[in-house]
């Protein structure tokens, strides 16, 4: 089985721009979660989508949003980028059992 | 407020030694405690996980010890190898919020040959 894929792998944006990241889960997995990883804050939960519905949400501002499509692929959008949004954004998928969450390689976003 | 506290921040161990990483949590509703291993340039990978109904779980050289009354759990890596050099994260979640994990701050392990 192919693993979780994320595109693009690297991205450079400037302040004020918006960005969309994509995640393709493992085939058959309906849950997709997004995390932000930074050296200072570590891994922080953004949100989780299951069957096209947001099921869980972390404590991030409304500039961070996401969606999930009927094929379980998910996108994450960040509007009005700030310097502090520079991070590795990780996506994880699972087959709806907590024990089987698989992470993708991440998208490294640099905001200048 | 950090829900899961992890220590130490970094750890240097000689090859063949035992690596021990500790985590503590506050929320007694947590009922699933995984450990993840992350290599540079890669996403975290599930290493081993435990539920609070057992005090220890062993998989190969990796063991989780769980102390429910102290709200602490730890990862022990026996016979540590240079290939174990990575960053390790503990995490916790609760049953009514599937897949919403709270992660520790990470421990960078360096196993010296």
């Amino acid at each position: 089985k192919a693993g979780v894929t994320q595109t693009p792998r690297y991205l450079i944006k400037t302040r004020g721009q918006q960005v969309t990241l994509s995640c393709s889960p493992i085939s058959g997995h309906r849950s997709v979660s997004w995390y932000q990883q930074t050296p200072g804050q570590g891994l922080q939960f953004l949100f989780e989508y299951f069957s096209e519905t947001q099921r869980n949400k972390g404590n991030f501002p409304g500039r961070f949003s996401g969606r999930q499509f009927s094929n379980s692929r998910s996108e994450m959008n960040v509007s009005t980028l700030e310097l502090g949004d520079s991070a590795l954004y990780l996506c994880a998928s699972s087959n709806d059992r907590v024990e089987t969450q698989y992470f993708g390689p991440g998208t490294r976003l640099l905001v200048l | 407020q950090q829900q899961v506290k992890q220590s130490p921040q970094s750890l240097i161990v000689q090859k063949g030694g035992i690596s021990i990483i500790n985590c503590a949590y506050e929320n007694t509703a947590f009922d699933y405690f995984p450990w993840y291993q992350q290599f540079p340039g890669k996403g975290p990978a599930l290493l081993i996980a435990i539920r609070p109904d057992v005090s220890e779980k062993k998989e190969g050289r990796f063991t989780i010890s769980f102390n429910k009354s102290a709200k602490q759990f730890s990862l022990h890596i026996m016979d540590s190898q240079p290939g174990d050099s990575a960053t390790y994260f503990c995490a916790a979640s609760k049953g009514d919020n599937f897949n919403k994990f709270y992660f520790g701050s990470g421990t960078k392990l360096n196993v010296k040959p």
Side-chain angles (χ1 to χ4, degrees):
Chain A
K1 258 186 183 178
V4 177
T5 58
Q6 292 187 244
T7 56
R9 291 294 311 278
Y10 303 94
L11 208 47
I12 300 175
K13 292 285 187 179
T14 55
R15 277 189 307 172
Q17 286 187 310
Q18 76 164 18
V19 67
T20 298
L21 313 180
S22 181
C23 171
S24 292
I26 291 172
S27 177
H29 287 189
R30 294 191 295 166
S31 168
V32 174
S33 300
W34 288 90
Y35 292 84
Q36 181 194 66
Q37 185 175 23
T38 59
Q41 300 296 320
L43 275 152
Q44 292 187 287
F45 176 83
L46 280 154
F47 30 66
E48 183 220 0
Y49 285 86
F50 178 79
S51 292
E52 302 178 67
T53 300
Q54 188 179 83
R55 187 159 68 172
N56 280 303
K57 190 178 187 304
N59 297 322
F60 278 79
R63 299 186 297 108
F64 292 82
S65 63
R67 60 177 175 169
Q68 187 179 32
F69 302 94
S70 57
N71 61 357
S72 293
R73 189 178 71 84
S74 177
E75 286 183 347
M76 191 193 100
N77 184 77
V78 188
S79 62
T80 320
L81 283 166
E82 300 177 359
L83 296 178
D85 296 335
S86 294
L88 180 67
Y89 289 89
L90 292 159
C91 151
S93 78
S94 82
N95 63 3
D96 204 29
R97 288 191 62 193
V98 174
E99 293 87 345
T100 53
Q101 191 167 77
Y102 298 91
F103 281 84
T107 293
R108 187 163 294 282
L109 171 65
L110 178 61
V111 181
L112 301 175
Chain B
Q1 181 190 1
Q2 196 167 15
Q3 301 254 7
V4 180
K5 294 183 179 177
Q6 183 172 346
S7 64
Q9 191 173 7
S10 63
L11 185 59
I12 300 174
V13 173
Q14 289 296 126
K15 178 183 174 182
I18 302 173
S19 304
I20 301 174
I21 305 170
N22 301 299
C23 283
Y25 64 97
E26 286 299 322
N27 192 338
T28 54
F30 287 146
D31 60 2
Y32 179 69
F33 302 89
W35 282 90
Y36 285 86
Q37 179 189 55
Q38 186 177 28
F39 292 103
K42 304 281 187 182
L46 179 65
L47 196 59
I48 186 172
I50 198 168
R51 292 200 180 273
D53 52 347
V54 296
S55 60
E56 187 174 281
K57 183 174 181 180
K58 185 176 180 179
E59 287 184 5
R61 296 184 294 110
F62 301 92
T63 300
I64 299 180
S65 296
F66 188 85
N67 186 330
K68 190 174 181 179
S69 61
K71 292 187 286 185
Q72 294 174 348
F73 58 111
S74 60
L75 176 70
H76 296 235
I77 306 174
M78 313 299 287
D79 187 27
S80 298
Q81 300 296 313
D84 296 331
S85 297
T87 300
Y88 292 82
F89 294 93
C90 61
S93 71
K94 45 186 178 173
D96 61 343
N97 270 329
F98 280 100
N99 295 329
K100 182 176 182 178
F101 287 91
Y102 298 89
F103 280 84
S105 53
T107 297
K108 190 168 184 179
L109 172 65
N110 184 7
V111 181
K112 297 253 185 217

